[in-house]
Amino acid sequence: MRYTVAGLLGAATRDLERSGISGARNEAEILIGHVLGRRRADLYAGSDGPVTLAQAAEIDKMVAARCSGSPLQYITGVQSFRRLALRVGPGVLVPRPETEMLVERCLELLEGLRSPRILDIGTGSGAIALSLATERPDCRVWATEISEDAYRWADRNLELTGAANVELYFGDLFSPLPKTERGNFDLIVSNPPYLSQEVLAAAPAEVREHEPEMALLSADAGMATSIRIIREGFDWLAPGGRMVMETAGSSQWHDLSIWFGKRYKSVQITSDLAGRPRFAEGRKP
Ligand SMILES: C[S@@+](CC[C@H](N)C(=O)[O-])C[C@H]1O[C@@H](n2cnc3c(N)ncnc32)[C@H](O)[C@@H]1O
């Protein structure tokens, strides 16, 4: 049998559509482009050209995995995030576009600071830590992560990025950090787990059944980890240091601004691209 790009694109799109994947054509292009090592825009040039049997089998396997609900990025093994192509797979959260805005906010807060010291809590794939380290090469970044699997992904991404200004620590929130860094950070950033049981139960199966619960779920209506970071992080900030974190939006931003207001100044909420209040921040006096 002779396989062509056009034929495989048609078949993959149909299979993905039947499995209820929205944007099936788009995803078929990504999967096929990934196996053939071609950019999506180049798939159509010579789309009647031959594809080897091994490539067709690989595409088939990937389409089947996607049809059974595995996140697209776990299948291709990569997610682009700002300037980086991060390696991802089972055991780590796929970084989301709104978190790119969290990084943007961090960069704004760092303006005017020389050689800032930054801490990323719950680094996952390393998305925030590595973006800041590469986009502000004069900074130093410390990052912590409690999941062994996620830590391994962050470590791999750190190696691939080659950033020499990032240190990864394995453990709970601030506990693995060198005590000498207490009170030294100019910025603490986090995209913590913030979903409640109810919200997670209503999330798409692709998220609920494949992405790690530890990255998504937090006690006390999704607020427990965020509140711990606000409370414990205060002592790790330098005077004038900032803390900024992603929230679930909804009513969480309001409750978090109250928690910030207990000890921090300049408490502020900023919105994501969709205009939803998303990022809560405060400054240590
Ligand atoms: C929502 S994910 C964010 C991952 C990454 N920062 C990003 O934005 O894509 C939350 C991360 O925090 C980690 N985490 C959860 N509880 C933690 C804790 N107590 N200490 C350190 N990391 C924690 C999870 O394993 C997960 O990798």
Side-chain angles (χ1 to χ4, degrees), residues 84-285:
L84 304 172
L86 294 167
R87 299 302 188 270
V88 292
V92 73
L93 186 95
V94 176
R96 306 293 204 266
E98 53 269 28
T99 308
E100 295 183 318
M101 290 198 62
L102 178 64
V103 173
E104 197 64 43
R105 183 65 192 143
C106 290
L107 292 170
E108 284 169 11
L109 292 170
L110 294 171
E111 271 169 26
L113 287 179
R114 286 177 58 195
S115 311
R117 302 165 83 84
I118 302 170
L119 171 60
D120 174 24
I121 297 286
T123 198
S125 60
I128 299 170
L130 295 172
S131 291
L132 290 171
T134 49
E135 293 187 46
R136 271 295 302 257
D138 65 323
C139 76
R140 272 185 75 187
V141 185
W142 285 253
T144 69
E145 174 54 57
I146 203 170
S147 145
E148 275 181 47
D149 286 338
Y151 180 92
R152 273 196 286 271
W153 285 108
D155 199 30
R156 183 163 176 217
N157 283 316
L158 172 59
E159 202 179 308
L160 289 170
T161 315
N165 51 345
V166 179
E167 286 172 39
L168 283 179
Y169 291 89
F170 175 68
D172 179 37
L173 300 190
F174 302 89
S175 59
L177 294 166
K179 299 292 171 272
T180 46
E181 295 307 327
R182 211 180 170 88
N184 275 348
F185 290 106
D186 299 298
L187 176 73
I188 298 178
V189 55
S190 185
N191 174 20
Y194 52 57
L195 300 185
S196 64
Q197 285 282 5
E198 295 70 36
V199 173
L200 183 59
E206 181 178 331
V207 174
R208 199 170 12 97
E209 291 171 10
H210 294 270
E211 292 194 270
E213 200 175 89
M214 206 183 271
L216 299 164
L217 194 66
S218 193
D220 300 336
M223 298 277 292
T225 311
S226 305
I227 292 170
R228 277 189 63 204
I229 294 170
I230 293 172
R231 293 174 67 169
E232 294 175 31
F234 188 87
D235 292 337
W236 289 87
L237 281 170
R242 311 277 189 145
M243 178 180 288
V244 55
M245 63 171 65
E246 190 169 316
T247 79
S250 57
S251 68
Q252 261 187 18
W253 64 269
H254 180 254
D255 294 347
L256 288 179
S257 62
I258 292 173
W259 277 97
F260 267 115
K262 291 177 195 277
R263 294 186 80 185
Y264 296 72
K265 299 290 178 213
S266 312
V267 177
Q268 195 178 315
I269 305 295
T270 44
S271 297
D272 62 17
L273 281 173
R276 285 177 302 235
R278 262 304 185 151
F279 311 111
E281 66 184 61
R283 178 179 54 82
K284 179 172 174 172

